[in-house]
């Protein structure tokens, strides 16, 4: 028998994946998808056409999976979590439609954005339609507690988007302000999606708080990696144009770190391209070189992993089992993914 290679003797650890969580939730996810299609229906033909374009664009359904997975983690045996997961996906999709208009984005997950295909006005109005559908489903659920959590999340997300507009093109933005933006615009929905799993299962406050922390830390980790990938992923992997945040003048952690660690000439470059929005051929390549040179991407990933570890720690109040292990792997996946 031939001697084993070093890799065979010491196989590389498997990359974290959403597959264990997806496998556990496959049946519930199918029911969620059917409900989404049903609730997108409208006699106004453009509404299901445009909404279906973004809903079917290949997203991972991570946020509704958090609702389904956390409900199962809490021992829930009913069916209410299916409609609530659809609510979470509708809120998320509505914010994507609005964000793409605000950012003038023309590509999402490798496909043309709705606003690029149909224009800004239809995209905004269909986003409003999806928000309305989400609230119809919340009211039908009948829980004022859940209505409070999800409606508050919707308003906080909007506040986060406005706050991001206020920090855009401003290199005086602090890391604290940057974190405030991503806590609001991304982590709030992760937290709400996770927390309602405990609410629907009527679990004690301790478990509600733990799942809120799990989702919140996971959401921050997820956004930190998104901001890092804007400077490091290949366009075909990322599903959007590399450097979109840079071109829009968004102030993200890799930029803040590179700016703080740069010399006077580098800081002048950042001010020109982000505050003055005087961007020229080759500026994106230089920006990528600077964030790499100053270790800003590695530092951003390190912080993302720290938040992911916090999310995993929050699950320690729950007994070991397939649901907890799958949610733990989902948290690890958030920082190791390439898209």
């Amino acid at each position: 028998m031939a001697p084993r290679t070093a890799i065979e003797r010491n196989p590389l650890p498997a990359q974290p994946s959403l597959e264990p969580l997806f496998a556990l939730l496959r049946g519930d996810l199918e029911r969620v998808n059917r409900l989404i299609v049903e609730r997108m229906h409208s006699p106004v033909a453009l509404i299901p056409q445009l909404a279906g374009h973004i809903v079917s664009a290949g997203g991972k359904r991570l946020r509704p999976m958090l609702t389904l997975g956390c409900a199962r983690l809490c021992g829930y045996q009913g069916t209410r979590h299916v409609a609530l997961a659809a609510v979470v996906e509708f809120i998320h999709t509505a914010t994507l439609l609005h964000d793409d208009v605000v950012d003038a984005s023309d590509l999402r997950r490798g496909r043309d954005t709705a606003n690029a295909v149909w224009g800004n006005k239809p995209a905004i109005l269909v986003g409003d339609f999806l928000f309305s559908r989400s609230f119809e489903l919340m009211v039908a659920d009948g829980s004022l507690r859940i209505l409070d959590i999800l409606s508050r999340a919707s308003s906080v997300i909007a506040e986060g988007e406005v706050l991001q507009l206020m920090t855009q093109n401003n290199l005086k933005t602090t890391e604290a302000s940057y974190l405030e933006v991503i806590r609001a615009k991304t982590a709030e929905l992760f937290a709400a999606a996770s927390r309602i799993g405990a609410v629907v299962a009527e679990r004690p406050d301790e478990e509600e708080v733990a799942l809120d922390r799990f989702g919140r830390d996971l959401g921050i980790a997820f956004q930190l990696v998104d901001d890092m990938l804007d400077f490091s992923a290949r366009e075909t992997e990322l599903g959007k144009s590399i450097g979109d945040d840079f071109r829009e003048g968004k102030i993200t952690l890799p930029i803040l770190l590179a700016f703080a660690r740069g010399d006077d000439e580098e800081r002048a470059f950042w001010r020109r391209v982000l505050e003055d929005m005087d961007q020229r051929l080759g500026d994106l390549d230089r920006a990528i070189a600077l964030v790499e040179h100053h270790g800003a991407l590695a530092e951003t990933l390190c912080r993302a992993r720290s938040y992911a570890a916090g999310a995993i720690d929050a699950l320690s109040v729950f007994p070991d089992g397939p649901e907890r292990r799958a949610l733990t792997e989902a948290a690890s996946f958030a920082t190791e993914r390439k898209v």
Side-chain angles (χ1 to χ4, degrees), residues 113-248:
T113 56
N115 51 295
V117 176
W118 288 279
N120 289 340
K121 292 178 182 178
I124 290 171
L125 294 172
V126 173
D128 292 343
F129 172 85
L130 294 180
F131 268 127
S132 300
R133 279 290 193 248
S134 75
F135 278 93
E136 287 176 359
L137 286 166
M138 280 185 251
V139 171
D141 178 76
S143 167
L144 286 177
R145 177 80 177 117
I146 287 175
L147 181 61
D148 176 59
I149 292 169
L150 290 172
S151 60
R152 182 180 183 279
S154 297
S155 65
V156 170
I157 292 165
E159 288 172 345
E161 294 295 345
V162 174
L163 184 58
Q164 181 168 261
L165 284 178
M166 295 171 62
T167 63
Q168 199 159 317
N169 311 113
N170 182 7
L171 285 162
K172 293 186 178 69
T173 299
T174 63
E175 288 186 27
S177 294
Y178 162 78
L179 284 171
E180 187 179 353
V181 168
I182 65 174
R183 283 191 181 103
K185 80 183 188 77
T186 301
E188 187 68 26
L189 187 57
F190 275 75
S194 302
R195 185 167 199 146
I196 61 176
V199 176
V200 77
E202 299 181 346
R203 302 301 300 165
D205 288 348
E206 178 192 19
E207 293 184 13
E208 264 195 58
V209 171
L211 289 180
D212 184 283
R213 181 190 164 204
F214 165 74
R216 200 170 301 277
D217 282 359
L218 174 55
I220 294 172
F222 194 90
Q223 187 61 55
L224 284 168
V225 171
D226 255 15
D227 292 346
M228 180 198 74
L229 289 174
D230 195 61
F231 288 101
S232 60
R234 287 195 292 265
E235 190 163 317
T236 53
E237 293 177 338
L238 191 58
K240 65 176 187 178
S241 302
I242 297 305
D244 270 355
D245 293 344
F246 172 80
R247 280 185 284 269
E248 292 159 14

Side-chain angles (χ1 to χ4, degrees), residues 268-280 283:
F269 163 78
W270 289 114
R271 291 190 183 99
R272 172 174 65 79
V273 297
L274 295 176
E275 293 190 338
D276 301 338
M277 290 304 291
D278 176 14
Q279 297 185 7
R280 306 165 190 170
D283 282 345

Side-chain angles (χ1 to χ4, degrees), residues 99-113:
D99 290 352
D100 285 341
V101 172
V102 171
D103 297 339
S105 299
D106 57 10
L107 191 68
R108 180 175 288 280
R109 297 169 187 155
R111 299 177 62 182
D112 291 336
T113 56

Side-chain angles (χ1 to χ4, degrees), residues 32 36 55 61 63-64 84-94:
V32 171
I36 286 171
V55 168
R61 295 280 198 273
R63 293 157 187 83
L84 293 174
V87 168
V88 168
E89 184 66 5
F90 275 145
I91 292 172
H92 175 56
T93 304

Side-chain angles (χ1 to χ4, degrees), residues 51-70:
H53 175 82
I54 189 167
V55 168
S56 64
K60 298 177 180 65
R61 295 280 198 273
L62 177 55
R63 293 157 187 83
M65 279 204 291
L66 292 179
T67 298
L68 300 174
C70 289

